[in-house]
Amino acid sequence: MIRPCRWAERATVLLLIVIAAGSILREPATGQIPGPGSAAPWILEGDSLWGSQSVGTDITNPRLRHEELRVRADRGRLSPDRQVLVLTDAVRIEDTLRVVTADEGIYRRSLRLLDLSGNVRGNGPEGEFTARELTYDRTSGILELRGRPEVA
């Protein structure tokens, strides 16, 4: 359950978090810092956050950049190890090949693996597609649709 900070209800606060080497920096980074499991940094922004390093962090309106991938949603939860981002409500991903929307998603940074579920819709080189679930392995470029997949 997302518990927004009271101060964030009164004003939109943009928090820039650079996840690198398993730590959180609460100010913009000045350079590219490689993180565990990936040579590229991932940059995570949100309007507010709540939690701790031991239990994870809830994020309102998370926006993620990892290499050419862009991800956003209404809510997110970052794992304690800072390697998994769980997304809920109005999930949207974009990269150089595809734009996909869904109800929920999970991005595993070190594996470069994205799982989406619920009303999955998108378009890419394969055309327009819909399904109940999708797995996108960004390392291999393989996109797997499950649950009544349709490609037009």
Side-chain angles (χ1 to χ4, degrees):
M1 178 175 189
I2 303 294
R3 288 170 262 145
C5 301
R6 293 204 188 282
W7 53 267
E9 294 172 354
R10 293 188 196 110
T12 301
V13 177
L14 178 64
L15 299 174
L16 175 60
I17 303 170
V18 176
I19 311 300
S23 64
I24 295 181
L25 304 175
R26 294 180 189 257
E27 48 190 51
T30 57
Q32 300 293 321
I33 305 169
S38 174
W42 78 343
I43 298 172
L44 179 60
E45 300 174 312
D47 292 340
S48 67
L49 60 97
W50 176 267
S52 69
Q53 194 166 9
S54 63
V55 297
T57 305
D58 291 327
I59 305 167
T60 303
N61 296 317
R63 295 171 302 281
L64 168 72
R65 288 185 291 153
H66 187 219
E67 299 167 328
E68 71 281 351
L69 179 70
R70 303 293 180 261
V71 179
R72 68 178 188 214
D74 288 348
R75 294 182 200 123
R77 181 166 186 80
L78 185 61
S79 66
D81 68 359
R82 309 297 191 229
Q83 292 298 306
V84 177
L85 180 62
V86 177
L87 303 152
T88 55
D89 301 328
V91 177
R92 179 181 174 93
I93 69 159
E94 296 179 39
D95 66 10
T96 57
L97 296 175
R98 297 177 179 88
V99 175
V100 184
T101 61
D103 296 334
E104 299 176 339
I106 299 174
Y107 183 60
R108 292 170 181 85
R109 176 186 185 205
S110 60
L111 299 175
R112 298 179 69 227
L113 187 68
L114 184 66
D115 290 307
L116 298 176
S117 63
N119 199 28
V120 175
R121 298 181 181 279
N123 61 60
E126 51 286 303
E128 291 186 14
F129 54 86
T130 61
R132 288 187 195 147
E133 297 178 341
L134 168 148
T135 297
Y136 182 16
D137 183 337
R138 295 182 56 241
T139 301
S140 67
I142 294 174
L143 181 77
E144 179 184 352
L145 301 170
R146 294 178 306 281
R148 295 190 165 180
E150 293 184 23
V151 179

